[in-house]
Amino acid sequence: MNRLERLIDEARREVEDNTFAAVRAWKEEEPGRACVGFFPVYVPAELIWAAGALPVAVWGGGDRIEVEMADARVQSFICSISRSTLELGLLGHLDFLDGMLFGSLCDVARNLSGVWARNFPDTFVDYLHYPQNLRSEAARGYYREDLERLGAALGGITGRTPGAAELAAAIDLYEEQRALLRRLAAVRTEEPWRLGLEEQQVLVRAAGRRDPRRHNEVLREVLELLPEREVRHKDGVRVVLEGSFCEQPALELLRTLDQAHCFVVASDLARGLCWFKEPLRRSDDPWSDLVEAYFVHAEGSVVRHFSPSERTERLLARVRDSRADGVFFCTAKFCEPAFYDFVLHKRALDAAGIPYLAVEFEEKMSSFESIRTQAETFAESILFFADEEATA
Amino acid sequence: MNSPYQHQGSGQKIQKQLLTDWYRHLEQAPERGEKVAYLFISGNIGELLQACGFHLVYPEVNALQCGIKKVAGPNILAAEDIGYSGDVCGYVKNDIGLMLSGNRMPHGTTLPKPDLLVCNYAGCATYLRWFEALAEFYGAEMVVIDVPYLRGTEGPTAEEVRYVERQLRELVAVCERVAGREFDPAAYRQAIDRTVRSEDLWVQILESARHRPSPIDAYFEAVFFMAPIYTMRGTQGCLDYYQAVAKEVEERIQAGMGPVAEEKVRIVMEGPPAWPHFRKFWEMFKKWGAVTVASTYSKVGGIWDLGFRHDPDRPFESMAEYMLGCYTNRNWAMRSQLIRGYLEDYGADALVIHSVKSCRSFSVGQADLREQFIREFEVPTLFIESDLADPRYFAEAQMKNRIDAFFEALEHRRLTAGV
Ligand code: SF4
Ligand code: SF4
């Protein structure tokens, strides 16, 4: 295993570890360190860091957990991430967390905050409201006040209420990280065979649970090593993956897509960690920068209200910008927001003559054969029509 | 044969007339050049929109009616045909299916298209997705009134109220532009004044269930009693209706009359009804002499029995308070507290949770609520599942077995406890 593979492998082992051993070790390294978890989709990580705690993305247990205790608390027709995340908590795997945050991005996440508060009465649980009336002149002010309130509440558990200076420094750090993650994504867009989708995603997911200073080093090194990697150009189709903004597909599923030569060149995977497609506009007021991040820089997604045409146009722009041949809707079973979005996107894609394929996944899925076959058929049909067009 | 009672059934008669008139006016609105706004029930701002000259359409009410009239099934299938998943809210799919088939309601009215979609986003994120779809399909303008979910247990904060109030004031300008006429503050105030009087009567009706036997079923009947206060609050017709129902209830109390022949069990209900099988569903409880004495679903559009009233002197601010306080905009600690209060105040013997697949806003957390009520509060609790729109999710035999087993056990427990 070379250096590059070792770095990726280490990230993989960490993100696959439901006991969060590496995060626990980080916390114990220095006295006074704190960790605050957050459920997807988005929570401004910089606010948590500025309050002196490590933001930890608590995004389900993947295929490495049996949902038993959570079964009695969340019904079976609810997405698996909500159930497996609760199971992680009930198993005690999250007992190192000093707090847990939820946001208003869907009713499941919202209601789960209450279930969490009842089941873990000794944990600090908070809830951030994301404005959905983006036209209102009052919305920015409201959101800002809510961020300040949350900052103070976090300060209450860490003893370090973030001021402007801490917040600005934290935004710097996460901006650096997002820029690195964007560069990583660009590798996929340009030469998808150079970095596997699964490899890219373990590096993204690791950003959700590592000290950002350390992970930025890793990302930098990976980016340095990637151009030297010995690879072979592979033929395949280029697709935009859409619909996995919250619950994450198994790594095996991501590998399957590369194997099926269905190359994901842009995606909304782990949306909350890389929601901004360009650097944030900065001012001398970091609170307002965080507000603008959500209002202005958030890429089109169903977890924030956009006019439907705007959201769809943004998807079409993603297809264009990444020179994709089609769209691969990859939706968590029972994820309502994604399902609603699908219908509107589908209409627009039909109108634009862009091919798409829709599949559903579950955390617990163990066989990916059907997805592989569908992806292969999809890729073949795109290549076939491209040939026909070329000869016509 | 003449009924010995003067007032029984009068509410129903008035309601029928009100709805007939309402739909007739609505249907004719486009001919008269009048504008139509669509909005949601939870935290609705009917008085405000009417004072801006809009006719109102509540797609949730259409879905409910289609459910009861057994046409929700085909509507839902039509929506699934154009790509909606089997796993999304049946109300939304019913509405989309209805739209695809020309918006003709089972009672014959053809609903006009929206000129404005007012998404009063209070308590349900699906509301946003629903109107986003309608905005796309109808090409209509959509505005959102963003209502923050409540934190803590103290009710809305001053900032939250101010935030929602600001948006309501901003909305007025949008309405004036779309409706092409000025907002009438005097009419708004007057409507709120009538609203308050209806609210008083509504609370009186709900609280009549404290009597033994309860004169009303606070779920199976209340879901019909609640219609005017959720759809035409602020109108004279609405006020007349509640005056009539209040008399009806009073008469029942005098006569010792209730929804079942003999009240044997008093229950509190959490969750929406199974509209597509409403009668059957009710029968399953009636046969045990079970009467609902309080329910949360009858509070979906607003909660007044905790003391809140609209205020004609603060028409915008109190509207904001109202929106923030509606049932599904309350966090689980508040919801659980409310239910526990009902169990005590109304002398209920058990809690029944009807969990519907369509509605995550209602359902996510209900299983945990069952855990809490059984283990922490030691309240006999029945948990059943089906749907409020999709007839496919009603497993009749299984549902009946569970209900029978529960009430049998409850009866047995009482016998052995000697109460
Ligand atoms: S997977 Fe979908 S439904 Fe589940 S919490 Fe995430 S956004 Fe909500
Ligand atoms: S999710 Fe529930 S509250 Fe929301 S539209 Fe559907 S039934 Fe109504």
Side-chain angles (χ1 to χ4, degrees), chain A residues 75 127 133 136 146 305 311, chain B residues 132 144 151 167 170 355:
Chain A
Q75 294 93 308
Y127 175 83
N133 178 357
S136 172
D146 209 26
H305 171 63
R311 211 155 63 216
Chain B
E132 282 167 2
V144 181
R151 274 183 286 255
Q167 297 178 70
E170 289 169 342
S355 185

Side-chain angles (χ1 to χ4, degrees), chain B residues 60 89 91-92 124 126-127 130 358-361 388:
Chain B
E60 288 161 296
C89 172
Y91 267 25
V92 179
C124 165
T126 295
Y127 282 176
W130 188 341
S358 272
C359 187
R360 267 73 166 175
S361 168
L388 82 174

Side-chain angles (χ1 to χ4, degrees), chain A residues 20-236:
Chain A
F20 292 82
V23 190
R24 287 168 189 271
W26 176 88
K27 190 176 173 182
E28 272 150 31
E29 253 168 47
E30 274 178 35
R33 279 188 169 174
C35 296
V36 172
F38 63 101
F39 192 74
V41 173
Y42 167 74
V43 162
E46 37 274 80
L47 186 58
I48 301 174
W49 184 257
L54 179 70
V56 181
V58 184
W59 289 7
D63 51 1
R64 303 163 310 285
I65 194 169
E66 277 307 323
V67 175
E68 282 166 6
M69 287 177 277
D71 237 0
R73 290 164 176 85
V74 180
Q75 294 93 308
S76 55
F77 57 80
I78 315 292
C79 57
S80 51
I81 186 174
S82 59
R83 297 153 50 79
S84 68
T85 303
L86 186 59
E87 190 75 19
L88 285 177
L90 295 169
L91 284 168
H93 290 343
L94 304 176
D95 56 5
F96 67 97
L97 291 177
D98 300 282
M100 185 71 185
L101 304 182
F102 294 85
S104 60
L105 300 164
C106 85
D107 288 339
V108 176
R110 186 198 74 172
N111 284 14
L112 197 59
S113 66
V115 175
W116 210 272
R118 188 185 85 78
N119 282 279
F120 308 100
D122 301 328
T123 312
F124 165 87
V125 179
D126 208 324
Y127 175 83
L128 194 57
H129 179 81
Y130 299 96
Q132 302 290 341
N133 178 357
L134 298 132
R135 288 199 211 174
S136 172
E137 286 179 10
R140 283 178 159 82
Y142 174 80
Y143 184 46
R144 185 202 172 105
E145 275 177 26
D146 209 26
L147 289 173
E148 288 177 345
R149 180 199 60 76
L150 180 61
L154 289 170
I157 53 169
T158 59
R160 290 166 55 184
T161 300
E166 291 81 21
L167 189 57
I171 297 178
D172 286 343
L173 192 58
Y174 280 92
E175 273 292 272
E176 198 185 326
Q177 180 156 93
R178 283 187 290 257
L180 291 164
L181 290 175
R182 277 194 292 267
R183 281 178 55 199
L184 206 59
V187 174
R188 282 290 304 176
T189 314
E190 295 314 317
E191 296 177 288
W193 49 86
R194 187 164 294 283
L195 174 70
L197 178 62
E198 181 262 3
E199 295 176 319
Q200 180 213 3
Q201 287 304 313
V202 297
L203 292 166
V204 171
R205 291 184 198 181
R209 54 166 78 185
R210 274 184 176 171
D211 182 326
R213 294 166 302 191
R214 168 180 164 226
H215 195 52
N216 287 358
E217 289 304 318
V218 171
L219 291 173
R220 251 190 297 273
E221 199 181 341
V222 166
L223 284 161
E224 266 163 34
L225 294 170
L226 272 175
E228 295 157 21
R229 193 178 208 184
E230 271 181 40
V231 288
R232 259 191 314 127
H233 172 101
K234 287 190 195 127
D235 281 329

